[in-house]
Amino acid sequence: MATQHKEISFDAFLSSTPTIKELTEHVNVSNNWYLVGTMLELDQKRLKSIEAHVGHTDAHKTVAMFNLWLETTPTASRRQVLEAMRVDAVEEITLAHKYEMHLMELHQTIYVPPSTEAVLILQRNIQSLSKALVSPVQVSQLLYCKRCISEATLDEMERIDHRRSLDDKKTTLLTAMKETVSNDYRKLKDIATVLSDVEETRDIANEMMTKYEEKIPQEEDGTVVQPQEVVGSNANRASDILRNNYSALSQSITQPVHVARLLHGEVISDEALSCVMYNRGFDSRAVLLKAIRDAVHSNYKHLELFVTVLRKFSETAHIGDTIFEEYRKHFSYDDDVSENEVFFAERNRDFQERPMSTSSE
């Protein structure tokens, strides 16, 4: 039987009409067929006509009774059959229970909601993903930008704890991905899109996307969820701007120690600077980005200072421009920012001056 993806509750399923095949196979009421027909409010003359058939067994008469019911009752439902079997006059309690259990299994088999299908697709690829993920922290940063994991999960991924193994981080990330898909099955497409941009997981991601498109019809996926505009404090708005550009930042910052030194004191703490300097490679970048997220949460204007620093590096200047354009849409901005420039120029004269304007050029 082909799987149907339209979500329907079990209660609604009980209100739908059964087939004669289903009733014949699972509702053998034997010599109680006449009583069941009466409870289903069938015409007594027609029931007596069925009863008068010489040589017909109770099984034949049961089928005839149910056929009559289906033909003459537009509102015939599975629920009515269950109720008829449970009345005191019939007392087919055990049979009713077995039939209801069968209906539960049938409902689960036929009506697989997209959310369940999406979780199953991800679950089938969990082991392969676990083996293929070589940089779970980097992948978590990409997923965070796409709203595929929470900030709490990203905090856990970017936190430096040398007692945690690579497998521990993989488990944390994969668990968060499953939770996301359970809450919104459409997020599986976003996750697959992110993973397809990572060489080690590209083939797995493409397979997941193929299965998604095969198992979940387009009409089920037709509702486009528009990103909601962030409301609330200035810090929340600034944090959301930072999140929008997190993927680009995680891949473009190549000198995290230099960036940290420039931001030290004004944006990030002594402890954060020490941690960035102590760790190298991806870890130092993760420490830096987490420190910046924390700083922007505490004061939205820290994002403004971060943009000034980004514009001092050729590899991140364009990201600084993008962040600034988003920033100025939400906040009143003073074009006279020479004070910031002078401050950072004095801190590190080795970097070329880049004025804070609407363009990094």
Side-chain angles (χ1 to χ4, degrees), residues 7 113-120 122 147-151 153 174-191 212 216 220-221 225 243:
E7 292 197 53
S115 55
T116 301
E117 198 72 78
V119 170
L120 289 174
L122 179 59
R147 272 74 176 167
C148 292
I149 62 171
S150 67
E151 185 153 18
T153 297
L174 292 171
T175 300
M177 288 163 58
K178 285 191 286 186
E179 182 178 344
T180 296
V181 174
S182 296
N183 292 333
D184 183 354
Y185 69 90
R186 290 165 295 195
K187 282 294 182 181
L188 183 62
K189 289 181 70 175
D190 292 334
I191 290 173
Y212 181 95
I216 301 177
E220 296 293 346
D221 190 41
V225 180
R243 183 172 191 168

Side-chain angles (χ1 to χ4, degrees), residues 14-283:
L14 289 182
S15 297
S16 60
T17 303
T19 64
I20 188 62
K21 182 176 184 295
E22 173 188 316
L23 294 171
T24 301
E25 291 179 350
H26 298 281
V27 190
N28 181 15
V29 290
S30 188
N31 59 353
N32 276 331
W33 68 267
Y34 195 105
L35 285 173
V36 171
T38 300
M39 293 300 103
L40 293 174
E41 300 182 353
L42 290 176
D43 181 76
Q44 288 295 308
K45 289 183 179 180
R46 300 189 70 172
L47 283 176
K48 288 185 180 297
S49 176
I50 294 173
E51 186 180 34
H53 289 166
V54 179
H56 283 196
T57 65
D58 287 333
H60 286 106
K61 293 176 181 179
T62 299
V63 173
M65 179 270 294
F66 277 132
N67 268 323
L68 175 62
W69 176 61
L70 293 173
E71 290 170 2
T72 60
T73 312
T75 58
S77 71
R78 296 177 170 96
R79 188 190 314 281
Q80 291 169 358
V81 177
L82 288 169
E83 291 173 350
M85 288 193 289
R86 285 170 173 153
V87 297
D88 291 341
V90 179
E91 285 192 334
E92 290 283 3
I93 306 301
T94 301
L95 183 60
H97 176 72
K98 289 181 179 179
Y99 179 45
E100 188 170 25
M101 292 301 100
H102 165 73
L103 292 177
M104 287 182 177
E105 293 177 3
L106 183 63
H107 174 259
Q108 292 175 357
T109 301
I110 296 177
Y111 297 98
V112 180
S115 55
T116 301
E117 198 72 78
V119 170
L120 289 174
I121 292 171
L122 179 59
Q123 186 63 47
R124 293 187 190 106
N125 289 277
I126 285 294
Q127 287 188 344
S128 299
L129 285 172
S130 183
K131 292 178 181 178
L133 280 172
V134 296
S135 302
V137 175
Q138 272 192 304
V139 172
S140 71
Q141 292 166 338
L142 304 181
L143 291 170
Y144 171 72
C145 181
K146 290 290 187 180
R147 272 74 176 167
C148 292
I149 62 171
S150 67
E151 185 153 18
T153 297
L154 183 64
D155 285 342
E156 185 68 13
M157 295 299 297
E158 290 184 338
R159 179 170 59 86
I160 300 300
D161 184 351
H162 296 292
R163 295 170 298 179
R164 297 178 68 217
S165 66
L166 180 63
D167 285 340
D168 291 335
K169 291 186 176 182
K170 289 181 180 181
T171 299
T172 298
L173 180 58
L174 292 171
T175 300
M177 288 163 58
K178 285 191 286 186
E179 182 178 344
T180 296
V181 174
S182 296
N183 292 333
D184 183 354
Y185 69 90
R186 290 165 295 195
K187 282 294 182 181
L188 183 62
K189 289 181 70 175
D190 292 334
I191 290 173
T193 299
V194 169
L195 295 177
S196 67
D197 290 333
V198 180
E199 183 178 356
E200 295 84 1
T201 58
R202 183 171 296 126
D203 291 342
I204 302 171
N206 291 338
E207 175 67 17
M208 287 168 56
M209 186 67 81
T210 298
K211 288 296 183 183
Y212 181 95
E213 293 173 349
E214 173 187 315
K215 295 287 186 179
I216 301 177
Q218 290 300 309
E219 59 266 22
E220 296 293 346
D221 190 41
T223 303
V224 178
V225 180
Q226 299 292 342
Q228 294 184 347
E229 183 176 351
V230 174
V231 295
S233 67
N234 288 336
N236 285 342
R237 291 190 179 94
S239 295
D240 198 61
I241 293 171
L242 181 61
R243 183 172 191 168
N244 291 339
N245 295 276
Y246 213 79
S247 176
L249 289 168
S250 69
Q251 298 176 81
S252 300
I253 294 177
T254 59
Q255 302 180 62
V257 174
H258 288 308
V259 173
R261 282 174 174 162
L262 286 172
L263 294 172
H264 175 231
E266 292 297 309
V267 177
I268 66 174
S269 65
D270 294 344
E271 181 182 359
L273 175 61
S274 297
C275 200
V276 172
M277 296 178 68
Y278 176 76
N279 293 279
R280 294 297 178 185
F282 298 140
D283 284 345

Side-chain angles (χ1 to χ4, degrees), residues 289-304:
L289 287 172
K290 185 181 185 313
I292 293 168
R293 282 193 294 112
D294 292 342
V296 173
H297 276 309
S298 66
N299 185 341
Y300 77 96
K301 289 191 175 181
H302 285 149
L303 183 61
E304 187 178 310

